[in-house]
Amino acid sequence: VQLAESGGGVVQPGRSLRLSCAASGITLIPFHWVRQAPGKGLEWIASMSSDGNNEYHADSVKGRFIVSRDNSRKTLFLQMNSLRGEDTALYYCAGDRGGGPFEDWGQGTLVTVSS
Amino acid sequence: SFELTQSPSVSVAPGDTARISCGGDEIGTVRVNWYQQKPGQSPLLVLYHDVYRPSGIPERFSGSNSWDTATLIISRVEAGDEADYYCLVWDTESVHWVFGGGTKLTV
């Protein structure tokens, strides 16, 4: 599975941003969003089942971020609302190909929340 | 919900065995996954469900999980193994994935 994130950039606090993750290869699989603040560890953000019927969000983003997918376009999305400075991070998407979880990763897209 | 504790750093000499631990209350009851992240790179799955290696991962990587500690074991450590290592579990109670804080392996 090849994954390519896009949509990152610099955004003011309180504004919104939508990230995309384009997939190729085996795509009807569970997908996840993981972020990494500068110099920090990995933080799981959200997951969505292969059929899109089940979604899970970390407490730190629940109510602000929404994960979704369009299987016809082989794309995973992360709608990020009410952005805060602490949301500044490199955002990765990852997929479960059938072995272990988070088996395939993209290169990440950088989100900077700053006025 | 699960809280995973990893030592911030581990240092070993080339050729030695590195043991990187991931502590959590009754972590032995869940399946633990391990990721390697080198500077400037995306994470790489190196061990899943406690003991299974994805294709392409050397046999030098192995694992164990019992009671309150899961361990990633890297035998015959090489300079190329120098990286940050993270454990990951699925918390069925909170239906959240949980990463450990990461361990920096220095060779």
Side-chain angles (χ1 to χ4, degrees), chain A residues 41-75:
Chain A
L42 302 174
E43 179 188 10
W44 169 77
I45 293 301
S47 298
M48 175 154 270
S49 59
S50 55
D51 59 8
N53 287 336
N54 295 293
E55 57 187 76
Y56 309 94
H57 296 82
D59 292 344
S60 58
V61 303
K62 192 171 290 184
R64 299 189 301 124
F65 290 12
I66 301 171
V67 63
S68 63
R69 64 191 294 163
D70 183 338
N71 284 340
S72 66
R73 294 166 56 190
K74 300 182 179 181
T75 303

Side-chain angles (χ1 to χ4, degrees), chain B residues 2-7 20-28 32 34 65-71 87 89 98-101 103:
Chain B
F2 256 107
E3 288 191 16
L4 301 178
T5 302
Q6 295 186 242
S7 298
I20 298 170
S21 63
C22 178
D25 193 24
E26 297 187 340
I27 196 174
V32 180
W34 291 93
N65 185 13
S66 180
W67 293 104
D68 292 342
T69 304
T71 305
C87 54
V89 304
V98 181
F99 279 101
T103 296

Side-chain angles (χ1 to χ4, degrees), chain A residues 68-108:
Chain A
S68 63
R69 64 191 294 163
D70 183 338
N71 284 340
S72 66
R73 294 166 56 190
K74 300 182 179 181
T75 303
L76 180 75
F77 301 101
L78 185 68
Q79 177 67 41
M80 304 187 296
N81 302 320
S82 303
L83 283 162
R84 306 167 179 167
E86 55 263 39
D87 297 319
T88 294
L90 185 63
Y91 284 73
Y92 294 101
C93 66
D96 300 358
R97 196 186 333 142
F102 301 70
E103 188 167 10
D104 297 300
W105 295 70
Q107 291 302 304

